[in-house]
Structures are given as structure tokens and as C-alpha cells.
Amino acid sequence: MSTVLSAAGFPEEQVRHRARAGAAGAFPALESYGSGLLGAVPAGQDPYDLLERARIVPPVFMPERLKKLIDLAREPLYTDVELDTRVGGFASRLPLYVSAFGSTQVASHDLGEAAGRQAGQLGIPMVIGENVVPVNGFRAAADSGVSPLLGRIAAYTGAADDEHGGVVVQQSTEDADAEVWNLVYSDPVSEPLLATGRLAFELKVGQGAKPGLGGLTVLGREAGGRVAEQYAMDPVFGADSDSVLRISSPGTFTEEILRQQIRLMRNNFPRVKVWVKLHPGRDVAHAAATAWAAGADSVTVDGAEGGTAWAPTAFLGQVGLPLGECLTRIGRTDHCLLASGRIWEGGRAAKALALGARAVGLGRAALLAVDEDAEAGLVRLVESIALELRLLISSVGKYHANALEADDVLLPHDAATSSRSTG
């Protein structure tokens, strides 16, 4: 087993087990069958994590199951549940996507490309995070070399078909200065995606791990010096330390700025889909509505549980709305709402879908899975999640991922009361 990555506070071993075991990882150990008495497992330790505290509640009477029975001329099974959907304008085989990794060191080369290759194979969208180009360059030193951004795109397109999934490229303030979208839009590596309508640009308004802040990365002083013109540096680790904190600007947004940014994206890049990523701010519902009204194809809400990169510890447990709270504030909508934040298994994913998300993102879970097995770890993890989704969706008498509804989830009493009073 690889020990390159660790994820404190995250169910790392469960993810690694699924990356090894695939769909079998959705069940208890086979050795316990027939001898172990298996009951409820303890809920998560975060008292504000609505998705962990919520329960999926199957009804007794299931008219949709009757319709499926008539359609199939037999009793339907969980294997009849369909998981294909539209994600931000893309046809996706599953209600899943790979979240942005940004310029984190662990995803810069091998793991990022492995995740891209397996996401393409799975037929689900992949988001490439911000600051990759300002930190690593658009192309390697030699023209024949491959940068992390181009390498991930090439790995994805090499494994994908021409109908499913898509690549999403984020841009933040420093990326805009580096003209990342212009470079990607005009580069030959993007043409297969443009020709099939499978390229999107995502305006990054914020992220769950650091709501209200930009990206933070630790660099050596020499590396920091190379990007000092693009980024501010903070020697928080001491004057004698070789490490410095690289600071990204979070950008400044008002309603009008957001609307104008989206309109510029649609005008300047007419061949791409327009995505917007929001941090879990208290006005997240208003921000999402503003983005959709301006023409965004998709809005991603990154709950406070999300994040794959460096973040201040004060932010990790004390800043931003939890994902479940974001979903209940926004409510169900006909627009495409995507959600990320500690998604690693089918139960949490199903609750997010029932509360209004069209698809959910895999961030830390995806990285851990490809770290476990660079060839098939993510594929196996997704297999286990897909099996659980089919089981859970079938249990409430539904047979498509988009058929889940808020009534399929029982919210904690305090959360349900708060939702009714604010709705």
C-alpha cells in the first residue's frame, strides 16, 4: 500500500479499502457474514454536519416502483436504477465528478494525470483547479514537455469517449493574469473537447476549505522567488526557514461583478460551458441564483467540509456553512447545482442528490484512491459508490438518480425547523 498521501480527519482507510476492493467495499467484510451481528454505525463527530445526521427514509407505498414494474413486466431490482445524468451541460455516466485539486504538490503530476485518466475512463467530468499554470507554467521548459495542466487534459481525453464527461478549467485572479482560459481555448490539446462540446471554464469565487480566502501553498524560498511577481509571500514559518507561504488573491465579487464576469465568459469563449464555484457563504442561495440568472450552465457549492490543499486550522472546523446547510438554503431547483464536501460513499452522495444536487464531487477521496492504485483505484472507488447509490435509490422506490426528492431524506428536527423558518 502506498504511503505517499495521508488525510487526517478523513476516512482514509475506508477509501483505500474501496480503492482496493471496488464494489465489494460497499459491504462489511465477507468473513463476518453469518456470524457477525451488524447494526448502526456511529454518526460523524461534527454536530453541524447535516448530511451525516440526516437519514434516508424509504416509504411503504411506492407508485414509482409500480410504474417501473409495468414498464419492465417484472418486479424491478436495484440493478434497474439508472445513474446517467447531465452535469453542467455534459453527458455523464454517473452523478459524480472529480473536484478541483488546484496547484497542490501531490496532484501536480502523476496523481493528477492518473485521476484524469480514470475519470475519462469512467465518463464523468473532471475539474482542473486554479493556479496550476502560474505555478507550473502552461508548457514545460521544452516544447515537447507536458505541463501538469496539459498533462491532465491529455490523460483525460486519451481515456474518454467522445460523448461522456468533460474537462473543466478553473481560473482565479492570478490565472486571469496568466490568461489561462485564453491559452487553453486556443491550444490544440483542447480541440477534441471543443469539437464535442466537452470543455468548460469555471469561475472560482471561493472554496470550502478557505471561505473568503484565496489559495495558500507552501513553497521553498527558491520556488517562491520564481513566482514572486504573480503572488505575495508570507514568511510565517520564520526568517530562518526555507519555507514560505504563497498567497493567492480571493478576488472581489459583488452581484454586478459576478454577472459581468459570466457574461464576459459567454461572449469571449462561446464554445465552452460556463461553471461557477461558490464557497459556502451565508448568502450562497442568492449568489447561486445570481449566477444562474446571468447564464451559468452550472453552479458548484463547495461545503465547509471540502478541500484538498493547505488551509489554516481555524478555517477547517470553524468557518463556512456545512454542505448540507448550503443545500437546504438553496433548495431544489431546475438549474444544475453541483456539491462537494467530504463525499466518499453512496449514502452521503444520495442525501446531497435528494436535497437538490445534480451531481457530487470527489476530491480527497479521488486523490486517495489513485494514490492507492494509480491504474484503477478511482474506478473501483466509483464502482462502490455507484452500487450504493443504486441500492439506496431503489430502496425509496425510485429508478433514476435525478428522481430523488427532499422527502426521501429525514433531516434532524432542529435543521428541518430552521429550514422551514428561513424558506
Side-chain angles (χ1 to χ4, degrees):
M1 181 178 73
S2 170
T3 57
V4 174
L5 294 181
S6 62
F10 192 73
E12 177 181 352
E13 185 47 45
Q14 292 96 314
V15 171
R16 291 185 181 276
H17 170 65
R18 287 163 178 252
R20 295 190 300 268
F27 296 94
L30 187 60
E31 293 80 9
S32 66
Y33 183 75
S35 59
L37 299 176
L38 304 173
V41 298
Q45 299 301 307
D46 183 354
Y48 299 104
D49 193 331
L50 180 62
L51 292 182
E52 292 299 322
R53 296 166 61 205
R55 294 183 66 86
I56 296 169
V57 284
V60 174
F61 300 124
M62 300 183 180
E64 295 300 317
R65 179 169 290 179
L66 176 60
K67 292 179 182 178
K68 193 70 173 178
L69 182 154
I70 295 171
D71 181 51
L72 296 173
R74 63 168 172 79
E75 284 284 353
L77 304 170
Y78 73 83
T79 51
D80 297 310
V81 173
E82 299 175 17
L83 297 180
D84 61 297
T85 190
R86 299 287 298 180
V87 178
F90 302 144
S92 180
R93 294 187 185 277
L94 299 162
L96 301 171
Y97 63 95
V98 174
S99 297
F101 302 148
S103 56
T104 51
Q105 184 177 2
V106 295
S108 291
H109 286 286
D110 293 346
L111 292 186
E113 292 187 15
R117 186 167 51 252
Q118 293 181 53
Q121 179 183 342
L122 287 163
I124 62 176
M126 173 187 70
V127 184
I128 300 176
E130 92 289 6
N131 294 330
V132 175
V133 170
V135 172
N136 299 293
F138 186 66
R139 291 194 176 277
D143 287 343
S144 58
V146 177
S147 70
L149 186 143
L150 294 181
R152 292 187 213 179
I153 295 176
Y156 186 96
T157 55
D161 61 31
D162 292 334
E163 298 179 10
H164 297 92
V167 172
V168 186
V169 179
Q170 272 186 5
Q171 182 167 285
S172 61
T173 303
E174 289 80 11
D175 292 309
D177 293 338
E179 298 189 342
V180 171
W181 285 342
N182 285 322
L183 292 170
V184 172
Y185 197 71
S186 60
D187 195 275
V189 76
S190 303
E191 185 54 37
L193 296 170
L194 286 168
T196 54
R198 294 180 300 130
L199 182 66
F201 290 161
E202 183 172 68
L203 177 64
K204 182 181 176 183
V205 179
Q207 64 181 28
K210 299 181 287 292
L213 291 182
L216 302 174
T217 302
V218 178
L219 298 176
R221 289 188 179 272
E222 181 180 350
R226 289 197 296 270
V227 297
E229 292 186 5
Q230 292 88 15
Y231 296 94
M233 302 291 163
D234 189 348
V236 296
F237 307 106
D240 297 332
S241 174
D242 183 55
S243 298
V244 294
L245 186 66
R246 188 217 71 193
I247 308 169
S248 300
S249 168
T252 301
F253 290 91
T254 63
E255 291 178 52
E256 184 58 26
I257 290 174
L258 180 57
R259 283 195 290 263
Q260 291 298 336
Q261 288 274 18
I262 294 171
R263 289 167 185 162
L264 283 172
M265 292 170 69
R266 300 196 72 85
N267 290 335
N268 294 345
F269 308 106
R271 301 175 68 191
V272 306
K273 305 295 188 295
V274 174
W275 289 28
V276 174
K277 183 174 185 178
L278 302 177
H279 69 248
R282 61 179 185 263
D283 55 352
V284 65
H286 182 47
T290 301
W292 284 318
D297 295 291
S298 181
V299 170
T300 299
V301 175
D302 198 11
E305 305 92 338
T308 57
W310 186 267
T313 54
F315 275 70
L316 297 179
Q318 302 181 64
V319 180
L321 297 177
L323 178 57
E325 178 68 19
C326 291
L327 294 173
T328 57
R329 290 194 181 199
I330 295 171
R332 296 193 60 83
T333 173
D334 292 334
H335 299 291
C336 182
L337 174 65
L338 307 181
S340 58
R342 202 184 288 155
I343 302 294
W344 66 276
E345 49 83 36
R348 189 176 180 86
K351 295 172 192 176
L353 295 176
L355 292 176
R358 183 77 58 81
V360 294
L362 304 175
R364 284 169 292 178
L367 273 176
L368 287 168
V370 296
D371 182 56
E372 181 67 30
D373 184 342
E375 296 302 317
L378 178 59
V379 170
R380 295 194 191 103
L381 173 64
V382 168
E383 285 176 351
S384 73
I385 295 173
L387 173 60
E388 286 176 324
L389 282 174
R390 288 190 170 95
L391 290 166
L392 292 166
I393 295 169
S394 172
S395 76
V396 296
K398 309 289 176 64
Y399 291 90
H400 195 282
N402 296 149
L404 288 170
E405 299 174 304
D407 285 345
D408 295 320
V409 173
L410 174 67
L411 299 177
H413 178 71
D414 55 344
T417 302
S418 173
S419 178
R420 286 194 296 269
S421 64
T422 58

